[in-house]
Amino acid sequence: MKTIQEREAELNVTHKHIIAGTMRDIDTDSESEFYNKRTVQIQCQTPNCKSKRRIATSDLHQVHNCEQCVRRERLARRRQARAERSAAKKAAKEAAQAVTQE
Ligand SMILES: [Zn+2]
């Protein structure tokens, strides 16, 4: 049986955003969002963001940012998609107008 320190050291090799000494062993609280999971704190990877976040070790490969940064990025992506959609719509409208004016 590995110690929690050994497990953390192993994961830290591939997941550099782990904050040393923050791993917790399997959560036995059935009310917890991390029930039956091992968790660790990560340092948000957004430049200049100092936030930390506790996540399940099983999510380490896909979670690299704090919740705030994830939310901000999601909003920015949506805004970008909306801008692209409306630009495409405008271009289509202008193309249609150009055809009728010929
Ligand atoms: Zn962040």
Side-chain angles (χ1 to χ4, degrees):
M1 185 74 178
K2 288 175 197 163
T3 67
I4 200 81
Q5 287 83 5
E6 283 168 340
R7 287 181 189 282
E8 186 186 277
E10 266 178 24
L11 283 172
N12 202 7
V13 173
T14 41
H15 304 287
K16 298 291 181 197
H17 57 317
I18 289 177
I19 299 169
T22 61
M23 189 179 281
R24 277 190 209 144
D25 214 343
I26 293 170
D27 196 333
T28 53
D29 177 3
S30 60
E31 300 287 303
S32 168
E33 63 169 312
F34 296 121
Y35 177 60
N36 219 7
K37 289 175 176 170
R38 235 174 239 115
T39 65
V40 73
Q41 267 196 323
I42 59 160
Q43 176 65 58
C44 178
Q45 296 300 292
T46 301
N48 301 321
C49 182
K50 304 260 189 292
S51 295
K52 297 165 186 170
R53 177 180 183 183
R54 179 160 294 276
I55 63 168
T57 53
S58 54
D59 287 331
L60 271 169
H61 65 290
Q62 57 182 6
V63 180
H64 300 92
N65 302 97
C66 70
E67 287 177 31
Q68 231 178 344
C69 287
V70 168
R71 205 174 306 131
R72 195 187 317 115
E73 206 174 286
R74 194 185 299 139
L75 284 174
R77 256 203 317 272
R78 278 198 204 138
R79 210 173 294 128
Q80 173 74 19
R82 204 178 305 129
E84 279 167 16
R85 267 200 309 277
S86 86
K89 219 175 183 178
K90 192 176 168 217
K93 200 173 163 189
E94 281 169 2
Q97 274 170 354
V99 169
T100 51
Q101 278 162 10
E102 270 171 12

